[in-house]
């Protein structure tokens, strides 16, 4: 016994074709068949109990053997149905299979019912009423035609049995003592009972099938609604997921490729493409495609002038071509036919400055796209447009940045050689190789030399910065560099200057014996530590301290450059890494300086995959921490 109350709705699916939600239909069929099997246990046991009690309790006389046999047979075939149903559950059986199973059940029940009717007195049997609920069950389970078929079969079987008994062809099996006078030979009683039985059966079938049909209709509506709700939820989810993956990159090619792939998957079609209007505004360029053959993609340019479909889409409309052979909107109809494209749906990609391109989905089926698909594609296109615009903007900034760096590099490069010639000429004069100088001349030339030296510094920094932007990003000559080696070299370089300023200048390896290497260029790492150590000494007053330390923590190398110098105000700290920024207190003690060093340092550190931070207190000192990823052995 399944324990479930009789449910009306499963029956509807016995009629429904296989359209949509097939697994749902199957599940419900299964439940209905199981319900019927559950009821039959009661029926079989009921027959046995009633037969026993008729004889034992009520003391009517009845030949019990056939009735017990009927009860036992009902239970027996129910066992067979039970196991068949269990097997159906494991192997996925078609809807037809389940309907067949249900028809067998009802058919056998009918037979059992007729036998029960005959052996419990025929026309005198109170069991005749039980036919009605069998008729109702059949009407719930089957299409009206089948239900009426079963009803008429029941009526004919009953009528047949009654007349056969009436004419004495079949022996009459009364329940002795139940009624005083035998009725099975009373023609008026027989006629009236058979007439009312037939009418009640047909009316019951009519009522049950019509109520059931109305319920079925409702249920189909509910199922359709459930399906469309599920579709909408899935699409919302797809839209959400798509948006996340698409906008997780700023690389235009990646954005476009993800967009076509996600769209094809979300709408569940064979192929998808993106075309963008080119600079002339006349051609639609193929930017990304998914699921289309190279032959189709190479078919030729899409010219707006010759392509009414593209013009319509770019005017802001979603256009559905349900059958590509029945339209004159395409520029390449035969190529589309060869590719097997039967229908297509196009939505405009619209940016801030108007239409940018077209997002198109293709299908091998004709009439594949619904209005819902149009709305959905249009939503994807709107989201995609934002991602495309962001990627385009990023691309433009990168190009601009590269052009700017190229320009700076070119200019500074041109300045470098005349400035170094000037420096060596000035050095020649101040060193007295060009003849003696009086004090005034020597003072003026020394000042000129200092300014030219500063100019040289500026040019070097600018070149570094530009080189960093242009080259660091593209070239990949990075190799495993031992950080300790680089730091030792930098320390040696500044030893003399530190000594001159009487600065305590020390370095510690906090992870002795551990190889700490990182993937970078040697020049890059040298520039980082050279700049930081140079600043620490430059911005620390005589007799101060500059301490450098290196430590490996997890998969990262921490290099700390700490000084007891002039410090950096909170306000200055936030602008420190911007190009040309110099804090006011720094300008006071050191007139020369470009404010480019830290910008370069930050650029390189970020490029290597590390990060840099600063802690400082005005007048007390500063601490710069560089964290770089460590190469695993
Ligand atoms: P520059 O040293 O040429 O001015 P940087 O980019 O190297 O340029 O440094 C930018 C500014 O950061 C400096 O002008 C100074 O104000 C501040 N600064 C950097 N390092 C230190 C430090 N160790 N102590 C105090 N201020 C510092």
């Amino acid at each position: 016994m399944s324990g479930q109350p009789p449910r009306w709705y499963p029956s509807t699916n016995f009629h429904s074709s296989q359209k949509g939600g097939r697994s749902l239909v199957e599940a419900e069929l299964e439940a209905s068949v199981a319900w019927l099997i559950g009821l039959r246990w009661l029926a079989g046991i009921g027959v046995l109990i009633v037969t026993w009690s008729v004889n034992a309790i009520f003391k009517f006389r009845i030949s019990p053997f056939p009735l017990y046999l009927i009860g036992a047979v009902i239970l027996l075939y129910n066992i067979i149905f039970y196991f068949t149903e269990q097997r159906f559950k494991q192997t996925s059986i078609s809807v037809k299979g389940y309907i067949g199973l249900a028809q067998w059940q009802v058919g056998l029940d009918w037979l059992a019912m007729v036998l029960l009717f005959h052996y419990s007195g025929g026309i005198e049997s109170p069991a005749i009423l039980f036919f009605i609920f069998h008729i109702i069950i059949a009407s719930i389970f089957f299409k009206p035609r089948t239900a009426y078929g079963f009803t008429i079969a029941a009526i004919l079987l009953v009528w047949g049995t009654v007349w056969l008994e009436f004419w004495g062809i079949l022996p009459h099996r009364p329940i002795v003592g139940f009624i005083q006078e035998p009725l099975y030979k009373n023609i008026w009683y027989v006629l009236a009972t058979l007439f009312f039985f037939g009418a009640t059966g047909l009316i019951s079938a009519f009522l049950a099938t019509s109520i059931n049909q109305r319920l079925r209709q409702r249920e189909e509506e509910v199922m359709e609604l459930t399906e469309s709700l599920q579709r909408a939820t899935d699409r919302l989810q797809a839209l959400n997921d798509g948006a996340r993956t698409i906008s997780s990159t700023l690389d235009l090619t990646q954005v476009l490729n993800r967009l076509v792939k996600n769209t094809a998957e979300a709408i569940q079609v064979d192929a998808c493409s993106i075309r963008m209007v080119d600079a002339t505004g006349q051609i639609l360029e193929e930017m990304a495609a998914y699921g289309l053959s190279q032959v189709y993609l190479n078919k030729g340019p899409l010219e707006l002038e010759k392509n009414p479909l593209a013009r319509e889409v770019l005017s802001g409309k979603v256009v559905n071509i349900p059958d590509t052979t029945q339209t004159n909107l395409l520029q390449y109809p035969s190529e589309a036919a060869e590719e097997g494209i039967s229908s297509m749906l196009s939505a405009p990609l619209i940016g801030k400055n108007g239409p940018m391109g077209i997002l198109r989905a293709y299908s091998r089926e004709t009439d594949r796209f619904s209005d819902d698909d149009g709305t959905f594609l249009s939503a994807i296109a709107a989201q995609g447009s934002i991602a495309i615009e962001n990627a385009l903007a990023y691309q433009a900034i990168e190009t601009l940045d590269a052009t700017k760096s190229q320009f700076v590099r070119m200019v500074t490069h041109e300045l470098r050689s005349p400035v170094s010639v000037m420096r060596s000429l000035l050095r020649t004069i101040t060193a007295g190789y060009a003849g003696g100088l009086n004090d005034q001349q020597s003072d003026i030339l020394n000042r000129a030399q200092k300014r030219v030296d500063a100019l040289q510094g500026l040019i070097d920094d600018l070149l570094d910065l530009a080189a960093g932007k242009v080259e660091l990003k593209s070239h990949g000559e990075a190799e495993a560099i031992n950080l300790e080696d680089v730091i030792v070299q930098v320390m040696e370089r500044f030893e003399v200057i530190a000594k001159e300023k009487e600065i305590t200048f020390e370095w510690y390896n906090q992870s002795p014996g551990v190889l700490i290497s990182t993937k970078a260029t040697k020049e890059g790492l040298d520039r980082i530590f050279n700049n930081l150590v140079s600043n620490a000494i430059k911005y620390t007053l005589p007799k101060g301290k500059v301490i450098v330390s290196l430590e490996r923590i997890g998969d990262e190398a921490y290099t700390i450059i700490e000084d007891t110098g002039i410090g950096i105000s909170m306000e200055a700290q936030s602008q420190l890494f911007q190009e040309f920024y110099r804090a006011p207190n720094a300008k006071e003690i050191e007139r020369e300086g470009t404010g480019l060093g830290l910008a370069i340092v930050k650029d390189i550190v970020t490029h290597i995959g590390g990060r840099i931070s600063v802690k400082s207190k005005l007048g007390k000192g500063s601490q710069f921490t560089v964290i770089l990823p460590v190469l695993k052995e």
Side-chain angles (χ1 to χ4, degrees):
M1 174 83 201
S2 68
Q4 288 170 357
R7 293 191 297 173
W8 293 87
Y9 64 85
S11 62
T12 63
N13 299 300
F14 275 42
H15 326 256
S16 70
S17 63
Q18 301 206 355
K19 73 166 181 183
R22 189 168 166 277
S23 61
L24 231 155
V25 170
E26 262 185 299
E28 291 181 1
L29 274 173
E30 205 181 282
S32 311
V33 168
W35 170 69
L36 204 58
I37 292 173
L39 273 186
R40 195 170 299 105
W41 297 126
L42 289 184
I45 295 169
V47 170
L48 297 179
I49 294 178
V50 171
T51 307
W52 172 79
S53 57
V54 165
N55 277 322
I57 302 174
F58 300 105
K59 310 287 183 211
F60 297 133
R61 263 186 304 111
I62 191 172
S63 38
F65 177 71
L67 292 173
Y68 280 135
L69 194 67
I70 292 168
V73 168
I74 290 177
L75 290 176
L76 193 76
Y77 73 70
N78 205 36
I79 291 176
I80 297 171
F81 282 133
Y82 176 77
F83 284 108
T84 316
E85 200 257 345
Q86 293 295 316
R87 228 195 41 233
F88 273 27
K89 245 194 246 174
Q90 277 144 26
T91 51
S92 62
I93 287 296
S94 69
V95 173
K96 261 195 173 157
Y98 272 105
I99 295 176
L101 187 64
Q103 286 179 345
W104 266 102
Q105 291 188 63
V106 173
L108 285 177
D109 286 346
W110 248 228
L111 261 161
M113 197 51 225
V114 173
L115 289 173
L116 193 73
F117 168 71
H118 170 62
Y119 282 104
S120 59
I123 195 88
E124 295 158 3
S125 167
I128 191 169
L129 293 174
F130 272 29
F131 264 108
I132 302 305
F133 78 70
H134 274 84
I135 286 171
I136 292 174
I137 288 180
S139 307
I140 293 171
F141 269 78
F142 304 116
K143 280 184 193 162
R145 210 150 34 111
T146 320
Y148 281 117
F150 273 113
T151 308
I152 288 168
I155 294 171
L156 292 179
L157 282 169
V158 168
W159 283 11
T161 315
V162 169
W163 288 121
L164 287 176
E165 286 183 28
F166 183 83
W167 291 316
I169 302 171
L170 258 185
H172 178 56
R173 308 268 186 175
I175 310 174
V176 180
F178 179 58
I179 38 177
Q180 301 311 318
E181 212 178 308
L183 291 168
Y184 77 105
K185 289 245 183 223
N186 178 334
I187 183 75
W188 291 113
Y189 178 78
V190 168
L191 281 177
T193 307
L194 289 188
F195 169 76
F196 279 102
F197 173 73
T200 312
L202 286 172
I203 292 170
S204 302
F206 168 74
L207 290 178
T209 48
S210 32
I211 291 173
N212 201 40
Q213 213 142 2
R214 282 230 305 278
L215 286 172
R216 184 180 313 142
Q217 228 171 31
R218 287 282 141 74
E219 200 223 350
E220 252 156 40
E221 280 166 24
V222 169
M223 278 220 339
E224 251 163 51
L225 274 177
T226 313
E227 269 169 25
S228 71
L229 203 68
Q230 186 61 46
R231 249 198 329 271
T233 317
D234 288 350
R235 296 198 147 178
L236 218 61
Q237 182 74 37
L239 206 62
N240 205 4
D241 291 350
R244 216 172 318 127
T245 28
I246 292 162
S247 48
S248 65
T249 172
L250 278 171
D251 181 278
L252 185 62
T253 321
Q254 269 185 20
V255 166
L256 296 170
N257 284 333
R258 287 179 191 183
L259 187 57
V260 281
K261 186 164 180 279
N262 276 12
T263 308
E265 284 171 358
I267 305 201
Q268 295 176 334
V269 285
D270 309 307
C272 184
S273 77
I274 291 178
R275 289 162 203 283
M276 307 268 287
V277 183
D278 78 346
T280 65
Q282 293 307 312
I283 306 270
L284 275 165
E285 274 183 291
E286 181 78 53
M287 298 297 283
Y290 176 81
L292 292 171
S293 74
Q294 206 50 47
V295 179
Y296 183 70
L297 294 175
N298 291 343
K299 64 188 181 300
L302 279 197
E303 293 163 57
L304 273 187
E305 203 157 292
K306 296 185 190 156
N307 197 315
L309 172 60
R311 285 202 303 273
E312 205 172 323
V313 178
L314 287 178
S315 74
K317 285 187 206 140
V318 175
V319 181
N320 183 6
I321 306 277
D323 187 349
T324 48
T325 58
Q326 304 296 321
T327 179
N328 52 8
L329 291 178
L330 302 185
Q331 190 187 338
Y332 296 101
S334 55
E335 284 81 353
E338 267 164 42
E339 184 74 3
I341 298 170
S342 301
S343 57
M344 49 169 85
L345 184 68
S346 317
L349 292 162
I350 299 173
K352 277 190 221 74
N353 303 321
M356 300 189 287
I358 297 176
L359 176 64
R360 181 170 292 167
Y362 306 82
S363 174
R364 292 184 201 289
E365 279 171 55
T366 34
D367 205 8
R368 161 68 181 72
F369 301 103
S370 62
D371 286 353
D372 268 3
D373 291 324
T375 316
F376 186 43
L377 188 71
S378 161
I380 299 179
Q383 263 184 359
S385 302
I386 299 172
I388 293 174
E389 281 216 308
N390 288 344
L392 281 172
Y394 183 70
Q395 208 179 42
I397 290 172
E398 283 219 307
T399 317
L400 200 71
D401 205 33
T403 320
K404 190 186 80 182
S405 302
Q406 198 82 37
F407 173 74
V408 172
R409 215 149 74 112
M410 192 193 73
V411 172
T412 43
H413 198 76
E414 291 303 311
L415 288 174
R416 189 180 240 175
S417 39
V419 170
S420 20
V421 174
M422 261 161 73
R423 277 179 86 200
S424 64
L425 288 177
L426 280 170
R427 224 175 290 129
T428 316
I429 299 172
T430 48
Y433 297 121
L437 296 171
N438 64 30
D439 285 352
Q440 201 186 0
Q441 287 168 330
S442 154
D443 181 46
I444 292 171
L445 284 174
N446 272 329
R447 272 162 52 202
Q449 194 177 352
K450 256 199 169 157
R451 303 311 287 264
V452 174
D453 284 349
L455 186 58
Q456 179 82 54
L458 174 64
I459 289 170
D460 287 346
D461 276 358
L462 279 173
L463 266 176
D464 275 356
L465 192 71
K469 297 246 173 204
V470 175
E471 283 163 20
L472 275 177
K473 281 184 185 137
S474 48
H475 83 55
E477 289 165 37
E479 50 184 328
I481 309 276
N482 184 348
L483 274 177
E484 178 167 0
D485 292 349
V486 179
I487 295 172
V488 167
Q489 271 177 25
V490 171
M491 296 302 288
E492 281 170 3
R493 197 175 305 148
F494 286 96
E495 225 157 57
V496 179
I497 307 174
K499 211 173 199 172
E500 275 172 16
K501 279 181 92 171
E502 293 178 60
I503 286 175
T504 313
F505 187 53
E506 283 159 6
W507 106 270
Y508 300 96
N509 185 349
Q510 312 276 29
S511 308
V514 180
L515 176 69
I516 309 179
S517 57
T518 192
K519 192 155 192 236
T521 59
K522 192 150 200 292
E523 301 73 52
L525 284 180
D526 191 274
R527 254 187 256 177
I528 296 174
F529 298 117
N530 193 77
N531 258 311
L532 294 174
V533 172
S534 146
N535 277 349
I537 294 177
K538 193 157 71 174
Y539 299 115
T540 298
L541 299 176
K543 298 208 163 85
K545 259 191 198 170
V546 171
I547 311 289
V548 178
S549 70
L550 171 68
E551 187 179 4
R552 176 173 173 162
I553 301 176
D555 287 337
E556 291 178 321
Y558 281 67
T559 312
I560 299 176
I561 298 101
E562 198 175 355
D563 64 54
T564 56
I566 58 172
I568 308 160
S569 69
M570 279 314 274
E571 192 199 344
Q573 279 179 38
S574 59
Q575 303 174 65
L576 223 51
F577 297 98
Q578 284 171 17
E579 292 158 19
F580 302 108
Y581 179 79
R582 302 196 69 215
N585 63 338
K587 285 185 197 159
E588 269 170 32
I589 71 157
E590 180 70 51
R591 262 183 57 198
E592 312 299 344
T594 60
L596 287 171
L598 285 183
I600 295 168
V601 166
K602 172 128 196 204
D603 222 33
I604 306 171
V605 169
T606 316
H607 183 74
I608 298 175
R611 49 199 198 276
I612 179 166
S613 62
V614 60
K615 267 199 245 164
S616 184
K617 237 188 179 152
L618 206 54
K620 292 265 189 252
S622 314
Q623 191 191 59
F624 283 84
T625 307
V626 179
I627 303 164
L628 299 174
V630 168
L631 265 187
K632 290 181 198 117
E633 281 72 31

